[in-house]
Amino acid sequence: MPAAGDDTRDDDGYRPVSVLAIAALAGGAASAVALVGPVFWVLPLVGVGLAIAGLADVARPGAPKAGRLAALAGLGLALGFGAQAVATTATAEWLARSRAEAAARFWLDAIAAGRIDDARGMCAAEAADAVDRLAAAGVSLRPRTRGRGRDEESGGRIVRVTAGDRDFDLVLRLTPPRQAAEPERFSVVRCDPVTPTGN
């Protein structure tokens, strides 16, 4: 029987639910929005912070509260969605870079093999002279390529290539298919020679 004046528990063992623990669960669920894009990556961080505060709240001595499982669930959701958002973005970036490098290698191989029409077919109108420029530079049979990131101006990918003894920055843009059955493909939109100071 509880002592007189002891109102922390009633006869059925009721404990108040921690508001912070419930907020942690809501924050963990809201962390799913982080999958939309990096601008929302702050949500899992907020969810983790709320979960830590919720766990501390339910563990505070002298004021027993329920909600430990809710805080733990919020922590798990925030960590899971945060990790998935970062992994998804990193994987998409790696795939885009790899595809751009493969397209650049295919284009350079076409020039090296003398398939000039195939190489020109991969060029946008503004890069029509790029084939002749690289053919004149003497594209080797094994041109070197490496991804350099995004080109903000065109929205394309930059790939550094070596042709002969010169380096060039190719800008390749993903062009949507003209028909539903066609796959997306990269087009060369720019081919800029790299000056020695730019290495």
Side-chain angles (χ1 to χ4, degrees):
M1 178 150 195
D6 182 4
D7 58 355
T8 57
R9 289 178 184 261
D10 60 15
D11 291 335
D12 62 357
Y14 171 78
R15 292 181 296 163
V17 177
S18 169
V19 174
L20 285 171
I22 299 303
L25 183 58
S31 296
V33 178
L35 298 173
V36 173
V39 71
F40 297 108
W41 286 3
V42 70
L43 292 175
L45 297 175
V46 171
V48 168
L50 286 171
I52 291 170
L55 288 170
D57 190 37
V58 298
R60 186 175 297 127
K65 292 183 181 177
R68 184 171 188 277
L69 287 179
L72 287 173
L75 179 63
L77 287 169
L79 290 173
F81 284 128
Q84 184 179 0
V86 172
T88 300
T89 301
T91 301
E93 178 68 20
W94 177 80
L95 283 173
R97 186 175 65 242
S98 297
R99 289 179 64 199
E101 288 177 8
R105 278 193 297 274
F106 180 83
W107 186 69
L108 292 171
D109 286 345
I111 295 172
R115 298 191 324 269
I116 302 302
D117 288 340
D118 289 343
R120 283 198 179 113
M122 284 184 65
C123 291
E126 60 266 33
D129 65 334
V131 174
D132 297 328
R133 188 183 317 154
L134 284 184
V139 177
S140 63
L141 291 177
R142 288 281 169 215
R144 183 170 54 97
T145 62
R146 63 184 186 278
R148 301 279 293 173
R150 295 180 184 273
D151 179 55
E152 297 301 325
E153 182 182 327
S154 68
R157 311 287 311 185
I158 302 172
V159 178
R160 174 75 50 89
V161 301
T162 300
D165 58 353
R166 303 244 0 233
D167 284 345
F168 296 86
D169 278 344
L170 290 183
V171 178
L172 297 104
R173 185 175 54 217
L174 198 58
T175 55
R178 286 170 278 193
Q179 298 176 9
E182 289 182 357
E184 293 180 321
R185 64 185 187 92
F186 279 99
S187 295
V188 177
V189 296
R190 224 168 55 234
C191 178
D192 301 326
V194 177
T195 58
T197 57
N199 283 337

